[in-house]
Amino acid sequence: MRLVIARCSVDYSGRLSAHLPLATRLLMHKSDGSLLVHSDGGSYKPLNWMSPPCTLVREEPDEEAASVGVIERWRVTHGKSGDALLVSIYEVLHDSAHELGVDPGLQKDGVEADLQRLLAEQVGLIGEGVALVRREFPTAIGPVDLLVRDPAGGTIAVEVKRRGDIDGVEQLTRYLELLGRDPHLAPVRGVFAAQEIKPQARVLATDRGIRCLTLDYDEMKGIDSGAPRLF
């Protein structure tokens, strides 16, 4: 990655036209060819950019540009659309290159897999005396997140989401219909578990006899969430 702090102006041409007048900015040229133009404000968003596939070509300024102080030009052209980003550099304040290597990617905490694992470990949250049969219980249309047994021997299918919406209720409904055909499992009740359940999803679940369970991820991890409680 190359990082250049320079006094520059920027012109974008193609499907639209845009102009950034002369100012001091950070130019970030990545190994994938992309170029991002940042200011010292505006949070993380670049003022303008060109995403790959694109190529950067350095150009000598023409006589007119040189007469107003341009010392170098960068022309970044998109490989498919032909859109172009022209950076006119008047002064370079910093120029450095860094090899960052292969990035392992963002590892998110609190995704559905984490919720599913924690709920399997704390299966008592589903109901008193219930026992885990299996995580990712297979069916012909995909795995059910959790399959548990209640003390009376009844079967409960649990669908776990971070944010529970109508699609999740529909998904669990299909699982319940399929599992209910198995005489070794029937009758099967459903529990829709999520950190947040949308009102429409809650209404639909209740109408179909599915119990909703709101999960507190921080509490399940043993962290005080700070949320006010009555008890």
Side-chain angles (χ1 to χ4, degrees):
M1 178 185 292
R2 184 181 179 190
L3 302 175
V4 176
I5 298 175
R7 292 180 62 247
C8 62
S9 63
V10 182
D11 291 279
Y12 193 103
S13 60
R15 291 166 293 181
L16 56 85
S17 297
H19 174 69
L20 291 172
L22 180 62
T24 301
R25 300 185 176 93
L26 168 64
L27 306 175
M28 183 183 297
H29 186 219
K30 296 186 177 182
S31 59
D32 61 6
S34 60
L35 180 72
L36 296 89
V37 182
H38 285 274
S39 68
D40 200 18
S43 186
Y44 62 91
K45 294 182 179 180
L47 299 172
N48 214 327
W49 68 92
M50 185 67 75
S51 55
C54 58
T55 54
L56 186 152
V57 177
R58 297 182 186 86
E59 301 177 347
E60 292 294 326
D62 57 27
E63 188 174 330
E64 182 180 352
S67 68
V68 296
V70 177
I71 59 173
E72 184 179 4
R73 277 182 163 172
W74 294 2
R75 186 179 299 276
V76 187
T77 306
H78 195 271
K80 294 182 179 179
S81 67
D83 288 11
L85 193 67
L86 180 63
V87 182
S88 299
I89 298 175
Y90 290 74
E91 181 184 6
V92 175
L93 305 176
H94 172 85
D95 189 345
S96 63
H98 308 271
E99 180 60 52
L100 302 186
V102 178
D103 192 278
L106 180 65
Q107 297 178 349
K108 296 182 179 180
D109 185 30
V111 296
E112 289 174 10
D114 295 321
L115 286 169
Q116 183 193 123
R117 174 182 54 79
L118 286 170
L119 189 55
E121 294 170 355
Q122 302 170 42
V123 72
L125 294 173
I126 299 169
E128 187 175 353
V130 302
L132 178 66
V133 176
R134 179 173 171 175
R135 288 178 59 186
E136 300 287 340
F137 187 86
T139 77
I141 58 173
V144 178
D145 288 336
L146 300 177
L147 196 73
V148 302
R149 292 277 191 184
D150 63 25
T155 307
I156 304 174
V158 185
E159 183 64 25
V160 182
K161 300 290 185 186
R162 287 188 66 241
R163 291 181 176 84
D165 55 20
I166 287 178
D167 288 344
V169 177
E170 294 286 4
Q171 181 182 2
L172 179 54
T173 300
R174 292 192 293 271
Y175 288 145
L176 292 173
E177 182 181 355
L178 192 62
L179 292 170
R181 299 175 189 173
D182 187 336
H184 297 97
L185 300 176
V188 184
R189 293 181 288 127
V191 171
F192 189 53
Q195 286 181 272
E196 175 189 349
I197 300 176
K198 294 183 178 180
Q200 301 93 328
R202 190 178 293 274
V203 169
L204 180 61
T206 302
D207 182 67
R208 295 183 176 179
I210 296 171
R211 183 165 67 90
C212 292
L213 175 63
T214 303
L215 302 174
D216 186 328
Y217 179 69
D218 287 337
E219 186 178 78
M220 293 170 73
K221 285 182 65 179
I223 302 172
D224 186 358
S225 66
R229 302 172 184 273
L230 294 176
F231 304 99

